Amino acid sequence: GVLLAERDFEGAEEYLASQLGRSPDSDAVVHWQLGRLYHFWNKASSAVNHLNRAVELATSAKNELLTIQVLSDLNAARATQAKQKP
């Protein structure tokens, strides 16, 4: 949160990437946060990739609430991505 508030996208990216693989239970949330970061950073393709992975992990863990939250962000990232393509 603080890194985003300060618009330190690289710092936030580095921190989140370092958290991947530390706990299989948290990987869905980390991918979700990376997707949100990339969407905020206007990197829609990376956002969509991470959000898709978050949906896969949340679905396989049967975490319905997280799945719904991620799908909402995924739809927004896809809309942004569609606007960016010529």
Side-chain angles (χ1 to χ4, degrees), residues 31-68:
H31 278 289
W32 177 37
Q33 293 305 316
L34 277 165
R36 291 169 49 105
L37 166 69
Y38 288 130
H39 189 212
F40 188 69
W41 198 355
N42 205 28
K43 294 185 174 190
S45 293
S46 293
V48 168
N49 290 338
H50 281 282
L51 293 168
N52 275 326
R53 183 66 179 136
V55 168
E56 292 169 7
L57 293 170
T59 301
S60 68
K62 297 182 179 10
N63 187 335
E64 294 176 8
L65 180 59
L66 181 59
T67 301
I68 290 167

Side-chain angles (χ1 to χ4, degrees), residues 1-22 29-47 49-50:
V2 173
L3 294 171
L4 279 180
E6 295 177 1
R7 301 187 64 80
D8 181 1
F9 299 134
E10 290 89 358
E13 177 185 42
E14 183 178 330
Y15 172 76
L16 288 169
S18 76
Q19 300 305 302
L20 281 174
R22 287 185 164 209
V29 173
V30 175
H31 278 289
W32 177 37
Q33 293 305 316
L34 277 165
R36 291 169 49 105
L37 166 69
Y38 288 130
H39 189 212
F40 188 69
W41 198 355
N42 205 28
K43 294 185 174 190
S45 293
S46 293
N49 290 338
H50 281 282

